[in-house]
Amino acid sequence: MQGGELNIVHNGKDDLQTEADRSAQRCIVAPLTKQFPKVKIIGEEELVDQSIREEWLVTEIDAELVKLNYPEEWSDVKEEDIVIWVDGTSEYTHGLLEHVTV
């Protein structure tokens, strides 16, 4: 937004994709892929280039989160059986920054 150019790509009717969408997806997918290489991650944006600026990459894991117990019925779930969907928001393209979610 500060750069002044959103680099909008039209993916169809009412489906705009910005550089922020692409960057956000890279920032989410890169650390997840590194931490959980067997998990299938599907992003809304079809990205050929998955590279990310190193300073945008979150590498620290919340120690309190790691201590949480998962429900007992999930005890036999394997990492390769998990799918994570990454989806952005269209509000960004309309300047509604207070509505932006991922």
Side-chain angles (χ1 to χ4, degrees), residues 2 22 24 32 38 48 56 58 65 67 71 92 97:
Q2 292 175 345
R22 295 182 291 273
L32 285 172
K38 295 179 183 175
V48 175
W56 291 359
V58 175
L65 184 62
K67 292 178 188 175
Y92 184 81
L97 302 184

Side-chain angles (χ1 to χ4, degrees), residues 1 6 8 13-14 18 20 25 27 36 60 63 65 69-70 73 83 85 89 94:
M1 208 60 161
L6 299 180
I8 295 175
K13 186 178 191 276
D14 299 326
T18 66
Q25 182 169 306
C27 288
F36 308 102
E60 297 174 9
L65 184 62
N69 292 323
Y70 52 83
E73 61 267 19
V83 177
W85 290 86
T89 182
H94 303 290

